[in-house]
């Protein structure tokens, strides 16, 4: 029910001096415009809500990547990596944000796997093969994953068995 939550998006847009509000506002601005493009049938409904602006939304999210709040910084990096991978289909920027994210969290297998999938989607074969080796090494060295968890990442990445 969009009507019940729109007031929160409006509040976030009006209070962007707070980084969390800037993040929420950035997400709203970006995704309301993306929704209009991806789902034209809902365009008439969205006319009753505050308009979005992709560029403004992306700029807000980019500003949040410089936050002193590590959580905000990480969420923004991850969101931008996903946006450039899935929505904007921009290999260079997706790669840039994934690399920044993985520099801080090199053992995060979920993000490593997302990055691998982005490289595959963008047909960056050399980078894809390197990333696959990185994930394989993480899986080999990680003693905390149980059998089903390792199987999950093996299946998601297409890596055959690891010791």
């Amino acid at each position: 029910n969009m009507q019940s939550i729109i007031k929160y998006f409006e509040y976030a847009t009006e209070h962007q001096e707070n980084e969390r509000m800037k993040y929420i506002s950035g997400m709203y601005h970006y995704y309301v415009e993306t929704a209009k493009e991806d789902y034209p049938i809902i365009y008439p409904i969205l006319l009753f809500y505050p308009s979005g602006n992709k560029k403004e939304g992306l700029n807000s999210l980019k500003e949040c990547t410089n936050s002193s709040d590590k959580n905000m910084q990480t969420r923004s990096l991850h969101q931008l990596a996903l946006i450039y991978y899935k929505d904007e289909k921009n290999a260079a920027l997706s790669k840039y944000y994934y690399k920044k994210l993985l520099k801080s969290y090199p053992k995060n297998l979920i993000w490593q796997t997302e990055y691998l999938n982005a490289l595959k989607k963008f047909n960056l074969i050399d980078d894809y093969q390197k990333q696959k080796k990185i994930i394989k090494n993480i899986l080999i060295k990680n003693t905390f994953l149980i059998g089903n968890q390792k199987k999950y990442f093996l299946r998601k990445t297409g890596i055959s068995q690891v010791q």
Side-chain angles (χ1 to χ4, degrees):
N1 184 355
M2 189 69 161
Q3 191 61 39
S4 67
I5 63 169
I6 199 64
K7 63 184 171 192
Y8 299 111
F9 291 121
E10 289 172 337
Y11 179 86
T13 302
E14 293 166 7
H15 295 87
Q16 289 193 54
E17 64 280 355
N18 177 304
E19 288 177 331
R20 291 186 176 148
M21 296 301 117
K22 183 181 287 289
Y23 176 81
I24 292 167
S25 177
M27 295 283 284
Y28 177 83
H29 279 287
Y30 180 80
Y31 281 110
V32 78
E33 286 304 306
T34 302
K36 288 177 186 176
E37 294 170 6
D38 293 348
Y39 307 102
I41 197 163
I42 66 168
Y43 183 79
I45 296 166
L46 293 175
L47 290 174
F48 294 99
Y49 298 106
S51 62
N53 181 317
K54 275 184 159 185
K55 187 177 180 179
E56 184 179 329
L58 289 172
N59 286 337
S60 292
L61 291 171
K62 288 174 187 176
E63 285 178 36
C64 291
T65 65
N66 298 316
S67 173
S68 59
D69 179 341
K70 197 71 167 159
N71 183 33
M72 186 56 51
Q73 184 184 87
T74 302
R75 285 176 182 269
S76 301
L77 287 170
H78 185 231
Q79 198 59 50
L80 286 164
L82 286 173
I83 285 171
Y84 286 113
Y85 162 35
K86 294 185 175 185
D87 298 310
E88 296 295 313
K89 295 165 183 51
N90 183 320
L93 286 173
S94 176
K95 192 174 170 181
Y96 171 78
Y97 287 109
Y98 271 119
K99 284 191 171 238
K100 281 187 80 164
L101 185 63
L102 293 171
K103 185 176 180 181
S104 296
Y105 302 96
K107 294 181 183 179
N108 185 310
L109 283 167
I110 294 170
W111 296 336
Q112 292 282 2
T113 302
E114 283 178 7
Y115 180 47
L116 179 76
N117 291 332
L119 293 170
K120 183 177 182 180
K121 180 179 179 176
F122 294 128
N123 204 29
L124 299 170
I125 304 304
D126 291 339
D127 291 331
Y128 174 81
Q129 293 302 332
K130 288 176 193 171
Q131 182 63 19
K132 210 169 178 178
K133 286 179 186 176
I134 289 169
I135 293 173
K136 187 172 184 176
N137 286 333
I138 292 170
L139 287 170
I140 289 169
K141 292 176 183 175
N142 191 318
T143 57
F144 294 105
L145 292 176
I146 60 173
N148 285 339
Q149 291 169 323
K150 272 193 180 179
K151 285 179 186 176
Y152 171 82
F153 286 107
L154 290 171
R155 189 174 60 250
K156 290 292 270 183
T157 58
I159 296 172
S160 56
Q161 276 309 97
V162 295
Q163 274 70 1

